[in-house]
Amino acid sequence: MSHSALLSQFDSLLLQSRQLWQVKAFDCDKLPWEENFPNLAALVWSLDDDILDELDRVQAELLNCLLPALNKDLVLLSESWSLELLNIKAPLCAGSRVREMEFQDIAHFSAGIKGRKWAQITAFTQELPADKCEVLEWCAGKGHLGRLISKSQGREVVSLEWQQALCDAGEKFAQQWQLPQTFVCADAFDNQQSELKVEQQAVALHACGDLHVRLLYLAAKAGTRHIAISPCCYHLIQAKEYQAMSKVGLQSELRLSRHDLQLPLQQSTIAKGKQQELRHREIAWRLGFDSLQREVRGGSCYLPIPSLKQSQLNGEFSTFCYWAAEQKSVDLPENLNFKRFLELGVERQRLTRRIDLVAHMFRGVFEHWLLLDRVCYLEEQGYEVTLEQFCNNEITPRNLLIKAKK
């Protein structure tokens, strides 16, 4: 099946299922779809809280658990959805079976790079076609990826990064290893500083939102022969709504907010027990304070508060509420029953976890929709394009790689 045909199929499924995934859980006081999907509602409320994280961690187990109930509801609604698309998996790249063996003689290059990040860099580098043309490393940071490409393939690398301190650190590494890697300190959105060349390979590992979209537009405009990107953080865009790239995407009826675009990122395969505990506590406290502010202010809308330090979660809920109230200029009356609001927060958290659990059935299809929008755009510009996994989920859930050749 062509990429454009597959994108159309994903589009149809996402449109049909909007009620289940296009939701803001923090705004809800009940399962927003329980009337139309009673079997699904009954199932998620029957699940023990203690198993939700483990169920959510593995997509196949999540689907095995929830799909039977969803199918029952679809029969009652006399609707037919292509739910087999929920099992979508991109094929593995050929090099993903090789891994770090190829780089054992330069393992010292990993000094100062966290283990999973190093694994991502080596896996990504293995998938680049053998070529001697110059490499443009987009949003390079300290240039770890470009440095490994330069060392392992003997290629000249230009690393574009907007933070001078990171450029300086990268230049120091390159000089230390006598590598043909140069840094350009520039804003990727500056038209005069970000032009690409034909005889070049543009690479970007986990460039966020508008940054990787910008690279694709510039590379297509320049006719850059090779492109290899692994997108990340789709929600980091300047526009209020997602701007589709391909013809099929532009024809879609989907209207996607920044909140919607966070759906693919709502999967943690590496969070430890303590991290999960703190994350659940933070959500319960945020929802508890929200219940408090609604009562105090007489409102019915969720009130977001700024990020907080992890150490704040080791204190008292009441202390957190006073801090949050100060951040949002909310006057709290005396003699508040903080215990009651914390209990409300915990109950609301039980609800939001189940709303999110159902939405997460569609995160894989949703991310593929976004990626195929990029793939189809490149094909429309005359590129041969593949979409594959360059590493496994345990290394990073953002493990999909778009490779394009002019």
Side-chain angles (χ1 to χ4, degrees):
M1 186 182 298
S2 69
H3 288 131
S4 59
L6 192 55
L7 177 55
S8 293
Q9 286 201 7
F10 287 159
D11 191 66
S12 295
L13 176 59
L14 289 171
L15 282 168
Q16 289 173 312
S17 59
R18 279 185 291 194
Q19 188 179 2
L20 296 178
W21 61 265
Q22 201 168 33
V23 294
K24 291 184 177 179
F26 276 21
D27 288 341
C28 300
D29 54 13
K30 64 177 183 178
L31 296 175
W33 34 257
E34 63 182 340
E35 184 175 339
N36 288 334
F37 300 91
N39 288 290
L40 192 57
L43 174 61
V44 295
W45 279 121
S46 73
L47 298 174
D48 193 285
D49 290 351
D50 293 337
I51 72 167
L52 296 184
D53 281 332
E54 187 61 27
L55 189 62
D56 193 38
R57 190 179 69 84
V58 181
Q59 190 71 6
E61 293 184 9
L62 176 63
L63 294 175
N64 287 338
C65 177
L66 300 186
L67 280 181
L70 176 56
N71 272 309
K72 289 181 180 178
D73 288 326
L74 291 177
V75 170
L76 294 175
L77 291 169
S78 299
E79 291 192 20
S80 178
W81 297 358
S82 298
L83 294 178
E84 68 279 2
L85 295 175
L86 296 179
N87 291 299
I88 184 68
K89 286 185 179 180
L92 287 171
C93 294
S96 63
R97 300 176 182 86
V98 180
R99 289 296 158 254
E100 292 196 34
M101 293 171 55
E102 183 179 328
F103 299 108
Q104 284 179 351
D105 61 333
I106 54 174
H108 50 272
F109 255 50
S110 65
I113 308 174
K114 293 182 180 180
R116 284 193 179 88
K117 185 64 176 179
W118 175 246
Q120 294 167 29
I121 290 170
T122 56
F124 188 98
T125 300
Q126 285 173 341
E127 304 310 327
L128 300 181
D131 201 307
K132 291 301 179 182
C133 72
E134 178 185 88
V135 173
L136 173 66
E137 182 188 14
W138 192 256
C139 303
K142 294 181 181 179
H144 293 316
L145 173 64
R147 188 162 64 254
L148 182 57
I149 295 171
S150 181
K151 176 66 175 179
S152 63
Q153 300 186 5
R155 300 169 69 175
E156 292 187 4
V157 175
V158 175
S159 298
L160 186 141
E161 168 58 43
W162 74 277
Q163 296 188 64
Q164 186 65 57
L166 298 182
C167 290
D168 292 343
E171 288 276 13
K172 185 176 180 180
F173 279 121
Q175 292 171 6
Q176 178 183 350
W177 296 106
Q178 298 181 322
L179 298 174
Q181 180 185 22
T182 59
F183 280 76
V184 175
C185 186
D187 186 344
F189 295 103
D190 186 336
N191 291 328
Q192 295 182 351
Q193 297 289 347
S194 53
E195 292 184 3
L196 280 78
K197 305 174 185 175
V198 173
E199 295 300 331
Q200 204 172 43
Q201 179 166 39
V203 300
L205 175 57
H206 295 159
C208 296
D210 279 344
L211 287 170
H212 73 253
V213 170
R214 169 79 168 160
L215 174 59
L216 295 182
Y217 279 130
L218 288 174
K221 180 180 178 181
T224 302
R225 295 200 185 282
H226 295 282
I227 304 169
I229 70 164
S230 177
C232 188
C233 300
Y234 305 96
H235 63 292
L236 296 180
I237 59 175
Q238 295 176 338
K240 291 184 178 180
E241 288 189 351
Y242 177 72
Q243 308 296 308
M245 300 183 69
S246 68
K247 293 177 181 178
V248 176
L250 289 168
Q251 293 170 357
S252 174
E253 294 179 21
L254 287 175
R255 294 295 175 266
L256 304 172
S257 67
R258 294 171 190 162
H259 177 271
D260 297 330
L261 294 171
Q262 294 184 57
L263 179 59
L265 310 179
Q266 295 173 7
Q267 181 178 20
S268 175
T269 61
I270 60 177
K272 298 179 181 179
K274 182 63 175 177
Q275 291 175 310
Q276 289 181 336
E277 179 185 341
L278 289 173
R279 179 167 59 85
H280 290 321
R281 183 180 303 169
E282 179 180 350
I283 293 173
W285 283 17
R286 284 177 177 272
L287 290 169
F289 172 75
D290 186 63
S291 295
L292 187 160
Q293 68 85 17
R294 290 188 191 205
E295 183 169 306
V296 168
R297 300 169 69 212
S300 59
C301 295
Y302 177 73
L303 182 67
I305 58 174
S307 300
L308 64 154
K309 297 177 182 177
Q310 185 172 304
S311 58
Q312 290 177 261
L313 297 170
N314 295 322
E316 297 293 328
F317 173 65
S318 58
T319 304
F320 165 80
C321 288
Y322 284 119
W323 170 83
E326 183 179 357
Q327 301 302 308
K328 305 303 292 188
S329 301
V330 176
D331 293 325
L332 298 184
E334 296 181 358
N335 302 319
L336 283 169
N337 186 347
F338 288 104
K339 181 181 178 181
R340 178 172 74 88
F341 289 111
L342 178 56
E343 289 172 350
L344 288 173
V346 171
E347 282 304 306
R348 285 182 63 187
Q349 183 197 37
R350 295 187 71 236
L351 171 66
T352 60
R353 290 180 72 187
R354 284 158 175 82
I355 294 172
D356 287 340
L357 193 70
V358 169
H360 291 173
M361 284 195 291
F362 300 90
R363 62 190 166 195
V365 165
F366 188 80
E367 181 163 22
H368 271 76
W369 187 98
L370 293 169
L371 290 166
L372 286 173
D373 184 40
R374 289 145 176 77
V375 167
C376 290
Y377 167 76
L378 290 172
E379 289 180 335
E380 291 163 8
Q381 308 308 309
Y383 286 87
E384 296 178 7
V385 192
T386 61
L387 177 63
E388 299 174 309
Q389 297 181 52
F390 71 94
C391 65
N392 61 44
N393 250 42
E394 285 66 33
I395 294 175
T396 173
R398 306 279 73 72
N399 63 352
L400 295 173
L401 172 64
I402 297 174
K403 285 196 295 185
K405 179 182 178 182
K406 194 75 169 181

